[in-house]
Amino acid sequence: MRQRTNQPAMMRIAIAGAGGFAQILAQQISQTAHALLVLSRRPHPELEEFCPGCQVAIVDYEDVENLRYTLQGVDLVISTIAGNEQLNLIDAARRARVRVFVPSEFEGDLSHRPANDPLDRGSQSALELLESWSQSRSHRLRYTVFSCGIFMERFGPGGLQTYQIGAGCGIQGPDDYLINIQEARAEIIPTNSNGRPARVSLTSAYDVAQFVTAALELGLDNWPREFRMRGDSMTVQELVETCSNTLGTPICLVTHQYQEAEAQSEEYHQRGDWAQWHYLQRLLQTANGRYHVRQTNLNEAVQFQPMTFRGWLENVWISGV
């Protein structure tokens, strides 16, 4: 048997947040030999019940010193929170001498996120802070982003809110983004500004958790700045067709030309109609390839076969899994 190098027998891992995705991560990581700590604002006895060996620490994300104390001895922090709370968590992780921080950045590759991001929820500030601390002489806090595209659960019954994922992201409901399968309707921008087909990558949140857990066995010292993974990849037009063909349901499709959608978005911006502006911005960003993972590196590094989108649709919508 090949002996692993640069990998401790056991690490101490902290997950910040206790929402749906955090719980999926906790369930996977709790099946390993690593010690697991979940940071939450309130008690979650169900986590300690269903995740063997998992501990839940009640924290105040405004209290950096208390966070630092809680993170003492932790090797890896995986964040599922955003905004100022995540910035405080990064500061506390640095002070506690955590080795690696994973920010709440589970979408498309970093290289295709715009500099002045219209959909930013504190992401850029978090990445800039992590970059500065990664070069610190006093304690170098390394970080790794896991890019996976769109969670397939976005297209499940009830949308992401059914899985308690994506609170505050603006796309929790079934009618908030691209396709409402239950109502058999879709709205897309099929091409980018250059007329090229808009592509998206999709990965189940459960598969992302398995990817992250598998990456632990590679050793933190071997983690790159960005792990890119995907379960499937297709154009947005193919996405609609896959939903329709798999479920045998015609989908009422509304398409927008890129330049027209851009002009309409500007009108909403001038009127202060922020809900419609954000809605169109998500479609425009999708057309620009924000959620397309072009070259994977984690798929090739671990022995794990993720679900295809068609297979996932069959499991969720037909088999009822």
Side-chain angles (χ1 to χ4, degrees):
M1 180 182 292
R2 187 177 68 180
Q3 191 170 9
R4 297 190 188 101
T5 58
N6 300 322
Q7 171 73 7
M10 186 183 78
M11 291 186 291
R12 195 153 185 251
I13 300 168
I15 298 174
F21 182 53
Q23 294 194 24
I24 293 169
L25 276 169
Q27 288 171 1
Q28 282 296 325
I29 295 175
S30 68
Q31 297 175 37
T32 71
H34 305 295
L36 179 62
L37 176 69
V38 174
L39 311 182
S40 174
R41 299 179 189 84
R42 58 184 180 83
H44 282 274
E46 75 280 3
L47 271 174
E48 295 176 331
E49 179 181 354
F50 294 113
C51 301
C54 172
Q55 293 183 309
V56 177
I58 309 302
V59 297
D60 177 2
Y61 287 106
E62 299 302 319
D63 189 339
V64 175
E65 178 57 27
N66 182 258
L67 283 171
R68 181 201 64 79
Y69 178 80
T70 304
L71 293 175
Q72 289 291 334
V74 167
D75 297 288
L76 169 67
V77 171
I78 303 173
S79 173
T80 67
I81 62 175
N84 288 330
E85 293 181 339
Q86 181 170 230
L87 295 178
N88 289 339
L89 182 68
I90 293 169
D91 191 14
R94 177 191 62 84
R95 297 187 189 190
R97 306 186 75 80
V98 169
R99 291 168 59 195
V100 178
F101 192 100
V102 174
S104 185
E105 293 291 330
F106 302 91
E107 51 174 85
D109 6 307
L110 291 171
S111 62
H112 286 82
R113 303 182 198 179
N116 298 316
D117 190 354
L119 303 179
D120 183 67
R121 296 185 302 118
S123 169
Q124 190 60 37
S125 296
L127 290 173
E128 288 173 358
L129 183 58
L130 284 168
E131 183 60 30
S132 68
W133 289 129
S134 73
Q135 301 175 31
S136 171
R137 293 183 179 180
S138 58
H139 174 65
R140 181 170 173 253
L141 174 62
R142 295 174 49 238
Y143 71 96
T144 293
V145 172
F146 282 81
S147 300
C148 60
I150 301 169
F151 283 153
M152 292 181 184
E153 285 69 21
R154 167 67 197 90
F155 305 104
L160 285 175
Q161 61 193 4
T162 301
Y163 301 86
Q164 299 179 10
I165 296 176
C169 68
I171 56 169
Q172 278 197 301
D175 223 19
D176 292 337
Y177 178 65
L178 289 180
I179 307 172
N180 182 334
I181 293 179
Q182 199 156 351
E183 300 294 332
R185 58 175 177 260
E187 189 170 4
I188 64 172
I189 301 174
T191 61
N192 63 19
S193 58
N194 296 320
R196 294 175 181 168
R199 298 189 65 87
V200 292
S201 296
L202 306 107
T203 315
S204 168
Y206 292 87
D207 284 349
V208 172
Q210 290 198 62
F211 270 122
V212 173
T213 303
L216 298 176
E217 300 308 307
L218 301 176
L220 296 184
D221 291 338
N222 299 315
W223 281 19
R225 182 58 49 88
E226 183 177 14
F227 267 132
R228 298 179 301 277
M229 74 203 88
R230 65 181 180 224
D232 213 336
S233 186
M234 60 190 69
T235 68
V236 291
Q237 188 79 44
E238 290 168 340
L239 180 70
V240 177
E241 292 169 358
T242 300
C243 292
S244 179
N245 294 338
T246 303
L247 304 179
T249 304
I251 291 180
C252 179
L253 176 61
V254 175
T255 62
H256 299 279
Q257 295 301 313
Y258 186 93
Q259 287 77 9
E260 292 175 358
E262 208 171 30
Q264 191 173 15
S265 173
E266 180 59 30
E267 289 180 16
Y268 286 134
H269 187 275
Q270 292 178 1
R271 295 208 305 252
D273 189 340
W274 302 116
Q276 287 299 317
W277 181 77
H278 276 104
Y279 178 81
L280 274 180
Q281 281 297 318
R282 284 190 287 273
L283 295 185
L284 287 163
Q285 288 293 311
T286 302
N288 287 331
R290 182 189 183 110
Y291 305 109
H292 178 36
V293 179
R294 286 151 185 80
Q295 297 291 329
T296 62
N297 58 359
L298 188 52
N299 288 63
E300 293 77 14
V302 300
Q303 294 182 342
F304 169 63
Q305 185 62 45
M307 287 184 286
T308 64
F309 185 54
R310 185 183 184 93
W312 178 85
L313 284 172
E314 291 172 346
N315 283 341
V316 172
W317 285 96
I318 299 174
S319 301
V321 175

